[in-house]
Amino acid sequence: MELIEVNNLKKVFKQGDINVEALRGVTFQVMEGEFSALVGPSGSGKTTMLNIIGALDYASDGNVSVDGINLNDLKNKQLSEFRLQKIGFVFQAYNLIPVLTVLENVEYVLTLKNVPKKERLKRCHDILKEMGLEELSERFPKQLSGGQQQRVAVARALISDPKVVLADEPTANLDSKNADVLLDIMQEMCKSKKTTFLFSTHDERVMKRAGRLIKLRDGNIENPNVR
Ligand SMILES: Nc1ncnc2c1ncn2[C@@H]1O[C@H](COP(=O)(O)OP(=O)(O)OP(=O)(O)O)[C@@H](O)[C@H]1O
Ligand SMILES: [Mg+2]
């Protein structure tokens, strides 16, 4: 089943008098349970693409559907609901909330979903343990290494069992060991839960593991028919 469908997607950023065409009519599909990566030179449109698929930004033209939902049909409140229900994000810069502990950062997602306290704590405890973070659960983000913070960010993306995890260069700041740990966890989740992963990356370690590479160049797709 096609979980993500991107159809003739265009994105224009207006910069004063200049129009930057970040995406120029991109079409591709991602099947449920795929572990795939957007690759291409800096500026080719990878982050723009992930942001639109995850409803953090909107298309100028064309459309995206995720799990049968056409994002063009959604209004503000429905868009945040869509993000909460369907998507887990991992950003290169971690984006943890500095005033919350590790546990609270992960728990926060479940609070938004109205999961009762007891179940929240159990699920958080389980995932933190699985990711080797249990001893760090009372620390604040700034008291962690980059690799540890990125692991917390991944725990936060996975805790709500999203259909899709969008990860923008998740290993860019990690050494090989930490990158491997993270990729192992994500691949395991992909296998066991059929979670669909779409990365953007410049990292050979990610490319090697990806089931498919979707190549972007200057806002166009390079190999539209290759799967
Ligand atoms: N908010 C914005 N305003 C104006 N132009 C933007 C904006 N965001 C991105 N762009 C432009 O859109 C194009 C695509 O940018 P994008 O960030 O998607 O590239 P990328 O493939 O993620 O690059 P990198 O590998 O460096 O992260 C670039 O030319 C960029 O300068
Ligand atoms: Mg980018």
Side-chain angles (χ1 to χ4, degrees):
M1 177 195 147
E2 275 135 14
L3 198 75
I4 304 174
E5 294 186 73
V6 176
N7 259 313
N8 198 22
L9 185 68
K10 297 182 183 166
K11 180 65 180 179
V12 180
F13 291 108
K14 296 208 188 307
Q15 283 276 60
D17 291 344
I18 303 168
N19 283 343
V20 181
E21 291 184 65
L23 298 171
R24 299 167 188 254
V26 175
T27 298
F28 67 94
Q29 296 86 34
V30 176
M31 306 298 282
E32 181 164 25
E34 259 196 90
F35 199 78
S36 50
L38 291 165
V39 298
S42 181
S44 56
K46 303 182 296 296
T47 296
T48 305
M49 180 63 91
L50 290 180
N51 287 347
I52 295 174
I53 293 172
L56 291 176
D57 201 351
Y58 57 87
S60 305
D61 200 2
N63 62 65
V64 171
S65 21
V66 178
D67 203 16
I69 300 169
N70 187 336
L71 300 191
N72 287 347
D73 294 341
L74 305 183
K75 297 270 173 298
N76 284 343
K77 213 175 156 204
Q78 298 166 310
L79 285 167
S80 23
E81 195 60 18
F82 163 82
R83 280 193 295 270
L84 185 61
Q85 298 303 336
K86 303 280 183 192
I87 308 282
F89 283 104
V90 182
F91 302 94
Q92 182 181 347
Y94 321 136
N95 289 8
L96 299 174
I97 301 170
V99 296
L100 300 182
T101 65
V102 166
L103 176 67
E104 289 163 348
N105 262 282
V106 178
E107 187 188 355
Y108 181 60
V109 182
L110 297 181
T111 312
L112 291 177
K113 292 184 88 167
N114 298 319
V115 176
K117 180 85 180 167
K118 212 167 158 192
E119 187 190 336
R120 284 204 308 264
L121 289 179
K122 169 150 191 357
R123 281 169 66 176
C124 290
H125 178 81
D126 289 350
I127 201 160
L128 290 174
K129 188 165 175 205
E130 193 184 332
M131 300 194 59
L133 290 165
E134 67 207 304
E135 318 242 289
L136 305 177
S137 62
E138 296 308 318
R139 290 209 202 167
F140 291 92
K142 66 167 191 269
Q143 300 168 321
L144 303 175
S145 74
Q148 290 165 339
Q149 287 184 59
Q150 190 61 310
R151 245 184 290 162
V152 177
V154 171
R156 182 183 57 183
L158 302 185
I159 187 80
S160 60
D161 253 330
K163 288 293 272 192
V164 183
V165 174
L166 302 171
D168 196 5
E169 311 212 24
T171 57
N173 296 319
L174 302 184
D175 61 31
S176 293
K177 192 165 154 256
N178 277 309
D180 272 336
V181 170
L182 266 200
L183 288 165
D184 284 346
I185 291 165
M186 294 196 267
Q187 244 172 347
E188 173 53 33
M189 173 134 177
C190 180
K191 272 202 201 111
S192 63
K193 296 196 167 153
K194 277 184 89 183
T195 309
T196 305
F197 284 80
L198 183 60
F199 299 91
S200 92
T201 196
H202 292 280
D203 186 341
E204 285 292 335
R205 298 168 299 197
V206 179
M207 292 187 206
K208 260 193 231 152
R209 296 205 196 203
R212 178 165 60 121
L213 301 180
I214 300 158
K215 295 186 184 158
L216 287 175
R217 177 176 291 275
D218 296 333
N220 282 308
I221 206 141
E222 272 200 349
N223 55 346
N225 299 314
V226 181
R227 191 169 274 290

